[in-house]
Amino acid sequence: MGEISSERQHLDHLLADSASLYGAPYQQAFAQLAQARRGRPVAEILPLLRRAADEALRSFTYADLREQAQAISTGEPYVLRVTLS
């Protein structure tokens, strides 16, 4: 399980929100990668996750992204705990 802090006004960068004008929520990108890249090597998934995080203005650590990539590769569920500030 990963953990990230987010300011309330930037929560739409992380979670899909149809009321938001922000166009690159990380949740949506992660779900698309999970569907398209299941079973693929972690090394292939990592740069795609990094790009999605950068586009969503999320600063995940390398370890966080590696853990997420591993979950996508194996098809295991991934839980991200969000702390609002």
Side-chain angles (χ1 to χ4, degrees), residues 12-14 21-29 52 55-57:
D12 60 341
H13 292 217
L14 184 61
L21 297 176
Y22 187 75
Y26 189 75
Q27 178 187 30
Q28 181 180 14
E55 289 174 2
L57 305 176

Side-chain angles (χ1 to χ4, degrees), residues 1-7 11 14-15 26 30 50 53 58-68 78-85:
M1 172 177 48
E3 189 166 339
I4 189 169
S5 294
S6 181
E7 295 179 11
L11 192 58
L14 184 61
L15 304 174
Y26 189 75
F30 181 90
R50 169 55 62 202
R58 298 288 85 201
S59 55
F60 288 107
T61 65
Y62 176 80
D64 289 336
L65 290 174
R66 182 157 182 73
E67 187 177 88
Q68 292 174 38
Y78 181 78
V79 176
L80 178 65
R81 184 187 324 242
V82 179
T83 304
L84 296 177
S85 54

Side-chain angles (χ1 to χ4, degrees), residues 5-47:
S5 294
S6 181
E7 295 179 11
R8 289 186 190 278
Q9 68 265 28
H10 298 298
L11 192 58
D12 60 341
H13 292 217
L14 184 61
L15 304 174
D17 179 0
S18 62
S20 173
L21 297 176
Y22 187 75
Y26 189 75
Q27 178 187 30
Q28 181 180 14
F30 181 90
Q32 290 170 346
L33 285 170
Q35 183 178 24
R37 303 294 175 163
R38 179 176 289 169
R40 304 299 302 162
V42 169
E44 179 182 309
I45 300 166
L46 264 171

